[in-house]
């Protein structure tokens, strides 16, 4: 009996001690933002220093502070712990009025009843920021490990609220060689770079920073450093190819466009899927439920261009050894009106006799205010001829048996280009009893 009673008493004692260790709430914690003072005006806030928000806080009696979370206009800046005073670096993204909030949470247990207690408290400071001059490196991320010879995008988010951005420059090892590795003069200021040893990316630790120059050539803003580690190359890098849309083609603005790619790795596998980029920035999927990167095959994504301009599309893939590769860029022009072309003959699944001329006919229309200048015909992606006179057609003589995909490309006088959907036909031997196109 004694042998079973003692363990039970010990367990009860441990449970009682644990209950006693839980702080009981007595009132509420308190917090106050001491800097910046509410109602004040802040001059220019610049990176990399930013602005330090400071708050003092006290916990409920018999408790201690677990965390303080800071917010700017409702968006979290970050969470800090430790002891009072609490501070965090704030880098606003726009000038104007900002509502700064600090929320303290202690480790007491909230109570209910006639005198309820809570374990959180909030402080607010409303300030005006006259100017924001900032830039942050979005990619590569700080403390990233990248494999040598990989291909990546340098990405940043520069803001000059009181000036015009002239250029964004990227530097390698600012505290050492301070080597200029890329310059961009147009938004979104992303730059492709190869991590080559000859370009300074030797195996080991490095740092990258972005620098913004204003149009007045007297305002300069630096980002915080992004520290990276370059690892040795292992194995063969993956191969990634954009398959749709066709380079040089035109697409209508505000319409869904399917972007597709293939990716393969000869000595391993694709890890993390395929990421699609437009002008160096990840494409935001136009269809709910889609993600970028696309994690499984087929690697397809829906993109909706919203501005009439020429875009550069690329796909990126990495393998199980960390090697990263970008596809060759293809340019696509988005326009308010684009030409159209449709193969009307032969029809899909038709049989076509080998060695006998067959007419490929299309219906083609130009963009608004333009005229069709040319239709080019393709068999399995290989050009088989052109026609510049309406009605547009071509006599094509297939030379080998098998399946063939026929496509057509129209060009109009406005310089816009569009491609037809493919029409699959089968090339067969001449058979007097068969019905051929």
């Amino acid at each position: 009996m004694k042998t079973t009673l003692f363990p039970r008493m010990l367990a009860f004692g441990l449970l009682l001690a644990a209950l006693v260790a839980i702080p009981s709430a007595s009132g509420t914690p308190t917090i106050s933002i001491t800097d910046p003072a509410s109602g004040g005006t802040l001059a220019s806030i610049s990176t990399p220093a930013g602005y330090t928000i400071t708050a003092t806080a006290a916990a409920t009696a018999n408790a201690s502070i677990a965390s303080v979370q800071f917010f700017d206009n409702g968006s979290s800046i970050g969470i800090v712990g430790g002891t009072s005073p609490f501070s965090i670096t704030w880098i606003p993204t726009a000038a104007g009025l900002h509502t700064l909030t600090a929320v303290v949470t202690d480790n007491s247990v909230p109570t209910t009843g006639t005198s309820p207690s809570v374990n959180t408290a909030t402080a607010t400071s409303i300030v005006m920021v006259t100017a924001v001059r900032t830039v942050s490196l979005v990619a590569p991320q700080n403390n990233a490990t990248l494999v040598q010879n990989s291909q990546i995008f340098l990405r940043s988010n520069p803001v000059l609220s009181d000036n015009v951005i002239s250029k964004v420059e990227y530097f390698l090892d600012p505290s050492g060689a301070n080597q200029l590795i890329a310059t961009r003069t147009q938004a979104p200021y992303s730059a492709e770079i190869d991590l080559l040893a000859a370009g300074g990316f030797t195996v080991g630790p490095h740092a990258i920073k972005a620098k913004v120059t204003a149009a007045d050539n007297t305002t300069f803003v630096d980002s915080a450093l992004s520290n990276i580690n370059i690892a040795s190359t292992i194995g063969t890098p993956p191969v990634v190819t954009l398959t749709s849309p066709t380079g040089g083609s035109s697409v209508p603005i505000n319409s869904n466009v399917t972007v597709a790619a293939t990716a393969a790795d000869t000595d391993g596998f694709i890890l993390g899927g395929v990421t699609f980029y437009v002008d160096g920035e990840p494409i935001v999927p136009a269809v709910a439920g889609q993600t970028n990167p696309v994690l499984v095959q087929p690697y397809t994504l829906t993109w909706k261009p919203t501005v009439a301009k020429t875009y550069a599309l690329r796909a990126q893939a990495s393998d199980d050894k960390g090697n990263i590769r970008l596809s060759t860029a293809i340019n696509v022009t988005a326009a308010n009106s684009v030409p159209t072309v449709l193969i009307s003959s032969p029809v899909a699944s038709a049989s076509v006799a080998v060695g006998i001329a067959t007419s490929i006919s299309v219906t083609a229309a130009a963009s608004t205010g333009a005229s069709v200048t040319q239709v080019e015909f393709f068999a399995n992606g290989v050009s088989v001829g052109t026609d510049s006179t309406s009605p547009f057609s071509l006599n094509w003589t297939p030379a080998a048996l098998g399946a063939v995909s026929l496509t057509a490309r129209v060009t109009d006088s406005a310089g816009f280009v569009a491609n037809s959907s493919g029409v699959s036909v089968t090339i067969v031997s001449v058979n007097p009893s068969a019905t051929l196109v």
Side-chain angles (χ1 to χ4, degrees):
M1 181 67 177
K2 293 182 179 179
T3 57
T4 60
L5 180 61
F6 178 74
R8 292 177 181 175
M9 293 178 63
L10 178 60
F12 177 78
L14 292 174
L15 176 61
L16 180 62
L19 292 173
V20 171
I22 298 176
S24 60
S26 178
T28 63
T30 61
I31 188 168
S32 174
I33 297 176
T34 57
D35 189 12
S38 188
T41 297
L42 304 179
S44 170
I45 298 180
S46 302
T47 52
Y51 191 92
T52 300
I53 304 174
T54 304
T56 57
T60 308
N62 302 319
S64 59
I65 292 175
S67 66
V68 173
Q69 185 169 12
F70 293 89
F71 296 86
D72 172 22
N73 290 338
S75 297
S76 178
I77 302 171
I79 301 175
V80 297
T83 58
S84 186
F86 300 89
S87 61
I88 195 168
T89 299
W90 171 44
I91 301 176
T93 58
L97 202 63
H98 290 261
T99 299
L100 304 177
T101 307
V103 179
V104 61
T105 302
D106 67 23
N107 64 351
S108 64
V109 178
T111 63
T112 59
T114 56
S115 299
S117 298
V118 296
N119 63 348
T120 64
T122 301
T124 299
S125 177
I126 301 175
V127 296
M128 175 65 71
V129 178
T130 58
V132 172
R133 302 169 183 170
T134 64
V135 59
S136 300
L137 271 171
V138 178
Q141 294 183 342
N142 190 38
N143 297 322
T145 295
L146 300 168
V147 173
Q148 196 176 57
N149 300 322
S150 288
Q151 297 173 314
I152 66 169
F153 279 112
L154 302 175
R155 298 169 50 221
S156 61
N157 53 356
V159 177
L160 291 182
S161 67
D162 59 344
N163 214 313
V164 176
I165 297 173
S166 172
K167 62 182 177 180
V168 175
E169 299 170 295
Y170 298 92
F171 292 86
L172 178 64
D173 296 329
S175 300
N178 198 33
Q179 178 183 344
L180 176 64
I181 53 177
T183 302
R184 290 295 181 268
T185 58
Q186 293 183 335
Y189 306 105
S190 300
E192 177 224 331
I193 191 165
D194 292 356
L195 305 181
L196 304 177
F201 291 93
T202 54
V203 172
H206 294 276
I208 298 175
K209 80 168 183 181
K211 179 179 181 178
V212 179
T213 300
D216 59 14
N217 285 318
T218 61
T219 302
F220 307 96
V221 183
D222 289 342
S223 72
L225 296 182
S226 181
N227 296 299
I228 62 172
N229 183 65
I230 300 298
S232 299
T233 301
I234 301 176
T236 303
V239 176
V240 56
T241 304
L242 272 173
T243 57
S244 180
T246 303
S249 61
S250 304
V251 296
I253 64 170
N254 297 316
S255 295
N256 288 349
V257 177
T258 298
V259 185
T262 59
D265 188 56
T266 58
D267 60 349
F269 55 89
I270 300 298
L271 184 64
V274 169
T275 303
F276 294 95
Y277 291 86
V278 55
D279 293 337
E281 292 294 307
I283 293 176
V284 177
V287 174
Q290 290 187 345
T291 61
N292 189 22
V294 181
L295 299 178
V296 296
Q297 298 186 59
Y299 301 117
T300 62
L301 189 69
T302 304
W303 165 57
K304 181 183 287 186
T306 58
V307 178
K309 57 170 282 189
T310 298
Y311 297 88
L313 299 175
R314 301 190 82 161
Q316 185 184 67
S318 59
D319 65 15
D320 55 312
K321 301 172 185 64
N323 299 296
I324 305 172
R325 278 293 184 272
L326 287 165
S327 69
T328 301
I330 64 168
N331 293 325
V332 175
T333 300
N336 291 303
S337 174
V338 298
T340 59
V341 60
L342 173 71
I343 295 178
S344 54
S345 178
V347 297
S349 301
S351 295
V352 177
V354 67
I356 297 177
T358 298
S359 177
I360 306 174
S361 301
V362 303
T363 56
S367 59
T368 301
S371 59
V372 174
T373 58
Q374 174 183 284
V375 174
E376 187 170 10
F377 299 84
F378 297 84
N380 287 340
V382 178
S383 178
V384 292
T386 61
D387 188 7
S388 57
T389 305
S390 180
F392 302 99
S393 63
L394 178 79
N395 285 328
W396 166 61
T397 304
L401 303 176
V404 174
S405 176
L406 300 176
T407 55
R409 177 182 298 167
V410 60
T411 304
D412 69 16
S413 57
F416 295 131
V417 177
N419 296 277
S420 73
S421 298
V423 171
S424 296
V425 298
T426 302
I427 312 305
V428 297
S429 299
V430 177
N431 185 345
S433 64
T435 300
L436 303 174
V437 174

